[in-house]
C-alpha cells in the first residue's frame, strides 16, 4: 500500500490523503507493514487503511525528534514564530478540505468542523506570537552575585490526542510545544487520524525542519511506547481519566518524565431562577449536545432552581427536539453520529441503566433508526445523585436534570463529583455569579455561556479531571518550558 492515497469525500470531492507515518518530514510505511482501517461513522464504511506504528517506528520518530531538537530548541525563536504563523495560514487555505476530512472521519457536522479548523489556525497563530516572548528573569540576591533565570524547552515531547476534536486537539498540543522550542512525537486517536496526517503535509510544505514534528498512528500500545519511552522528556495526554492514570504510571515507571493530563468530566450546569431562561436553555443545549455530546467538559448535569424547574424542562425538551440530526455534510445538521460503534454502545448502555434505575426519559433515550452511529438527544429527569448516569462520564448526548432550592445546596451538589473540569452558572445577579463560581471546584466556570473557549484562556481540571493547563500563558510557560537558575559570583 502506498503512503498517500486518492480519497473521494461524501460530497464528491477528491483529495490526496496521507496514510503513512510522518517521520522526519516524510510519510513512511511502518517497519512491520501493519495497517488498520479507518471508517466513516455516518455510513459505517471504511474510508482508508493507515499504517500502524510499532515500537520500532516510535524509536525512529524519537531519533528524528532528538536530532532536530538542539537546532530547533536553541535556534532563532523568531523563525519558530514565523513557521507557526505560516502553518496557520496554510490551515486556513486548506480549511474546506480539512473540515471535510474531519466530518467524514469523525462525523461532526461540516458547519462545526469549519469552526474547528479556524480555531486550530487561531491557536497556532497565537502561539506563533509567543515564540519570541518567552522571558526569563534577573534576581538581586545582594552584592557580589549576578543571578538570572532562563526558560528553556524541555526536549522531545510525546503527545497523545483524542478522537472528539482531532485537528483542534492537535493544534492545542503542537502550538505551544513548538513555539517553546520542543520537538514532538504525536499519536493520533486510532479512529480519527486523517486530519492530522493531512495537516502534516502542510507542516512540511511551509518549511518546518525534518524531525521537529513527527506523527504516528496506532492504538493504545503505540501510546504506551510513547509514555514509557526513556528518551521522551514530557508526555501530554488528552482522554479518559482511566487512561490518564495509566499514562502517569508509565511516565513515572520509565524516566519520571513531566506529565500534563486533560481528562474526563461530569460538569454541572447551574440554572438559577433569576436567569434569562430562554438564553439558559440555548446554552444548556449547546453545553450537552454540541459535538454529539462528545466533549470532555460537557454540561451533563443540569441543576435547575425549583421555581423554574418545570418551565426549563419543557423548554429544553422542545429545544433538543429541534436539533437536526443527520448527514454531517448537510449544512443544516447540528448533531452527527457518535464517532465509533464502541462509543455508541457505551452511550446506549448508560441510557439503558438510567431507565432501569427509574430515571424518567423526557425525550430521546434510543438509537436513531438509520445507517450510522446516531443517538437521539436524551434528557433524564427524576434522577438521584447516586445513579450511574449522574456520577459517571457518558460522553454522549445524554443529560440529567435535577431541581434545587438554595445556593448552598446546589454548590454542594455541583462539587459532589470525582471530577472538576468545568461548570456553568446562569443568573442575572453578578454577585451570585461570582460567589458561586468561586466556590465550585473546577478549572473553568462559564457564566451565562457554555463550551465557550478562547486560546488566551487556560483550560484544565481539578481533582481527577487532570494535571496542568492548556491554552493561555500557562499552556506554554508551565507546560512546555523549564526554568534554569544561573548564579554567578562576581570578583568585586
Amino acid at each position: 500500500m502506498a503512503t498517500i492515497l486518492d480519497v473521494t469525500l461524501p460530497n464528491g470531492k477528491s483529495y490526496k490523503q496521507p496514510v503513512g507515518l510522518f517521520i522526519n518530514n516524510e510519510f513512511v510505511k511502518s517497519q512491520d507493514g501493519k495497517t488498520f482501517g479507518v471508517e466513516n461513522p455516518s455510513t459505517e464504511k471504511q474510508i482508508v487503511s493507515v499504517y500502524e506504528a510499532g515500537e520500532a517506528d516510535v524509536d525512529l520518530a524519537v531519533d528524528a525528534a532528538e536530532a532536530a531538537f538542539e537546532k530547533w530548541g536553541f535556534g532563532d525563536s523568531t523563525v519558530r514564530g514565523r513557521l507557526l504563523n505560516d502553518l496557520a495560514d496554510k490551515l486556513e487555505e486548506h480549511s474546506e478540505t480539512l473540515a471535510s476530512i474531519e466530518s467524514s472521519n469523525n462525523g461532526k457536522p461540516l458547519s462545526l468542523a469549519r469552526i474547528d479548523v479556524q480555531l486550530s489556525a487561531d491557536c497556532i497563530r497565537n502561539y506563533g506570537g509567543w515564540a519570541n516572548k518567552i522571558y526569563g528573569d534577573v534576581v538581586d540576591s545582594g552584592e557580589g552575585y549576578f543571578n538570572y533565570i532562563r526558560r528553556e524547552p524541555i526536549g522531545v515531547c510525546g503527545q497523545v490526542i483524542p478522537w472528539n476534536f482531532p485537528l483542534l486537539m492537535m493544534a492545542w498540543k503542537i502550538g505551544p510545544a513548538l513555539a517553546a522550542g520542543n520537538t514532538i512525537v504525536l499519536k493520533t486517536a486510532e479512529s480519527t487520524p486523517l486530519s492530522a496526517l493531512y495537516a502534516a503535509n502542510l507542516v512540511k510544505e511551509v518549511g518546518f525542519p525534518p524531525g521537529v514534528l513527527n506523527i504516528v498512528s496506532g492504538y493504545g500500545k503505540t501510546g504506551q511506547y510513547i509514555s514509557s519511552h526513556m528518551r521522551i522528556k514530557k508526555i501530554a495526554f488528552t482522554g479518559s481519566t482511566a487512561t490518564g492514570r495509566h499514562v502517569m504510571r508509565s511516565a513515572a515507571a520509565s524516566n519520571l518524565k513531566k506529565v500534563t493530563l486533560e481528562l474526563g468530566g461530569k460538569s454541572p450546569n447551574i440554572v438559577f431562577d433569576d436567569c434569562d431562561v430562554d438564553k439558559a436553555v440555548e446554552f444548556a443545549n449547546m453545553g450537552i449536545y454540541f459535538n454529539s455530546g462528545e466533549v470532555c467538559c460537557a454540561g451533563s448535569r443540569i441543576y435547575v432552581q425549583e421555581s423554574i424547574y418545570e418551565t426549563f424542562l419543557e423548554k429544553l425538551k422542545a429545544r433538543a427536539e429541534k436539533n437536526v440530526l443527520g448527514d454531517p455534510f448537510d449544512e443544516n445538521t447540528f448533531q452527527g453520529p457518535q464517532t465509533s460503534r464502541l462509543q455508541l454502545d457505551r452511550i446506549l448502555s448508560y441510557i439503558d441503566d438510567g431507565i432501569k434505575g427509574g430515571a424518567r426519559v423526557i425525550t430521546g433515550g434510543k438509537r436513531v433508526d438509520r445507517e450510522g452511529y446516531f443517538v437521539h438527544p436524551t434528557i433524564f429527569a427524576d434522577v438521584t445523585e447516586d445513579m450511574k448516569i449522574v456520577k459517571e462520564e457518558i460522553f454522549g448526548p445524554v443529560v440529567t436534570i435535577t431541581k434545587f432550592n438554595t445556593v448552598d445546596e446546589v454548590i454542594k451538589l455541583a462539587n459532589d463529583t470525582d471530577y472538576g473540569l468545568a461548570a456553568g452558572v446562569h443568573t442575572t445577579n453578578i454577585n451570585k455569579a461570582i460567589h458561586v463560581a468561586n466556590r465550585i471546584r473546577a478549572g473553568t466556570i462559564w457564566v451565562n455561556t457554555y463550551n465557550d473557549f478562547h486560546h488566551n484562556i487556560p483550560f484544565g481540571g481539578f481533582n481527577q479531571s487532570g494535571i496542568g493547563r492548556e491554552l493561555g500563558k500557562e499552556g506554554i510557560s508551565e507546560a512546555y518550558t523549564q526554568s534554569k537558575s544561573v548564579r554567578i559570583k562576581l570578583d568585586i
Side-chain angles (χ1 to χ4, degrees):
M1 186 176 78
T3 58
I4 299 177
L5 301 176
D6 290 318
V7 172
T8 301
L9 292 161
N11 60 7
K13 296 180 180 178
S14 297
Y15 75 103
K16 293 191 177 297
Q17 174 64 57
V19 295
L21 311 174
F22 187 69
I23 299 175
N24 217 28
N25 268 15
E26 299 295 336
F27 290 104
V28 298
K29 299 178 180 180
S30 56
Q31 294 293 293
D32 60 10
K34 286 185 67 175
T35 63
F36 61 93
V38 177
E39 70 173 357
N40 179 336
S42 294
T43 64
E44 306 176 44
K45 303 292 192 301
Q46 182 169 307
I47 303 169
V48 290
S49 290
V50 300
Y51 283 96
E52 179 180 354
E55 188 170 12
D57 302 297
V58 172
D59 284 340
L60 288 174
V62 173
D63 290 343
E66 273 192 331
F69 174 65
E70 286 301 321
K71 186 174 181 181
W72 177 257
F74 297 96
D76 188 345
S77 58
T78 303
V79 172
R80 298 201 297 268
R82 177 181 56 78
L83 287 170
L84 284 165
N85 276 288
D86 289 347
L87 177 57
D89 291 343
K90 278 292 179 184
L91 292 178
E92 290 175 337
E93 183 183 325
H94 290 252
S95 62
E96 194 64 17
T97 299
L98 281 164
S100 297
I101 293 170
E102 206 81 322
S103 293
S104 176
N105 188 192
N106 167 275
K108 66 179 63 196
L110 184 61
S111 59
L112 298 179
R114 292 188 185 110
I115 296 173
D116 281 8
V117 177
Q118 187 59 59
L119 291 174
S120 300
D122 290 345
C123 177
I124 289 173
R125 186 174 288 113
N126 174 64
Y127 283 112
W130 271 103
N132 60 359
K133 299 174 185 68
I134 302 172
Y135 304 131
D137 210 347
V138 175
V139 179
D140 184 0
S141 66
E143 189 175 11
Y145 288 90
F146 177 68
N147 312 280
Y148 65 93
I149 302 168
R150 284 170 54 84
R151 302 297 307 189
E152 295 185 355
I154 296 168
V156 179
C157 295
Q159 300 179 329
V160 179
I161 60 174
W163 41 260
N164 56 335
F165 291 92
L167 187 68
L168 185 58
M169 293 300 99
M170 175 186 175
W172 282 24
K173 292 287 189 291
I174 71 171
L178 294 177
N182 301 283
T183 55
I184 296 170
V185 178
L186 179 144
K187 188 192 92 69
T188 57
E190 62 269 18
S191 58
T192 57
L194 301 186
S195 59
L197 290 173
Y198 186 89
N201 221 20
L202 306 181
V203 167
K204 179 178 181 180
E205 189 175 325
V206 300
F208 278 81
V212 168
L213 174 62
N214 306 275
I215 300 177
V216 295
S217 307
Y219 290 87
K221 63 182 179 181
T222 306
Q224 169 69 22
Y225 299 142
I226 292 172
S227 63
S228 63
H229 203 288
M230 293 297 292
R231 290 183 289 137
I232 289 178
K233 306 301 184 184
K234 187 257 169 75
I235 181 77
F237 170 79
T238 297
S240 72
T241 296
T243 305
R245 288 193 185 96
H246 185 72
V247 169
M248 198 168 185
R249 284 194 295 267
S250 296
S254 55
N255 59 350
L256 276 176
K257 58 175 62 67
K258 297 177 183 298
V259 176
T260 54
L261 305 171
E262 198 269 276
L263 306 176
K266 192 68 178 176
S267 298
N269 202 0
I270 302 168
V271 182
F272 288 101
D273 60 9
D274 61 358
C275 74
D276 182 319
V277 175
D278 290 335
K279 287 182 179 178
V281 166
E282 284 298 318
F283 285 117
N285 185 74
M286 177 63 72
I288 186 60
Y289 300 125
F290 170 67
N291 208 55
S292 302
E294 295 174 344
V295 183
C296 54
C297 54
S300 54
R301 292 185 292 145
I302 299 178
Y303 294 98
V304 183
Q305 203 153 21
E306 185 171 20
S307 62
I308 62 167
Y309 179 80
E310 293 298 338
T311 298
F312 184 88
L313 201 60
E314 181 182 330
K315 286 178 176 286
L316 184 60
K317 175 182 184 292
R319 181 63 185 85
E321 290 173 353
K322 288 180 181 177
N323 291 336
V324 178
L325 279 71
D327 179 6
F329 285 85
D330 185 330
E331 296 288 348
N332 296 313
T333 296
F334 174 75
Q335 182 182 321
Q338 308 311 131
T339 300
S340 67
R341 177 173 290 280
L342 181 67
Q343 191 58 22
L344 171 74
D345 291 342
R346 172 185 169 85
I347 293 164
L348 293 176
S349 72
Y350 273 105
I351 290 173
D352 184 58
D353 189 84
I355 293 170
K356 288 178 179 177
R360 177 163 55 106
V361 178
I362 302 300
T363 189
K366 57 186 178 181
R367 182 179 182 177
V368 180
D369 185 16
R370 58 162 292 164
E371 181 182 60
Y373 307 133
F374 293 86
V375 177
H376 284 286
T378 299
I379 299 172
F380 278 112
D382 301 338
V383 298
T384 58
E385 294 299 297
D386 60 346
M387 289 181 174
K388 283 177 63 176
I389 57 172
V390 177
K391 288 294 185 188
E392 297 182 13
E393 184 178 38
I394 299 173
F395 219 68
V398 180
V399 69
T400 63
I401 304 185
T402 305
K403 68 178 67 171
F404 72 92
N405 287 301
T406 69
V407 169
D408 287 342
E409 178 190 0
V410 78
I411 290 172
K412 184 177 180 180
L413 289 167
N415 288 332
D416 185 19
T417 177
D418 293 331
Y419 297 106
L421 191 53
V425 179
H426 302 271
T427 176
T428 53
N429 184 328
I430 190 62
N431 298 298
K432 183 190 295 180
I434 293 172
H435 172 69
V436 174
N438 289 348
R439 290 181 63 191
I440 294 176
R441 294 191 292 271
T444 295
I445 312 296
W446 286 296
V447 177
N448 296 327
T449 186
Y450 208 93
N451 278 335
D452 196 346
F453 302 93
H454 191 277
H455 50 254
N456 283 332
I457 308 299
F459 181 78
F462 287 18
N463 306 322
Q464 293 185 36
S465 285
I467 298 171
R469 295 293 180 266
E470 297 190 287
L471 304 180
K473 179 182 178 181
E474 291 85 345
I476 183 168
S477 62
E478 294 180 12
Y480 287 105
T481 71
Q482 53 195 345
S483 65
K484 175 185 286 182
S485 301
V486 180
R487 181 166 166 84
I488 303 170
K489 193 174 190 314
L490 304 176
D491 188 12
I492 56 174

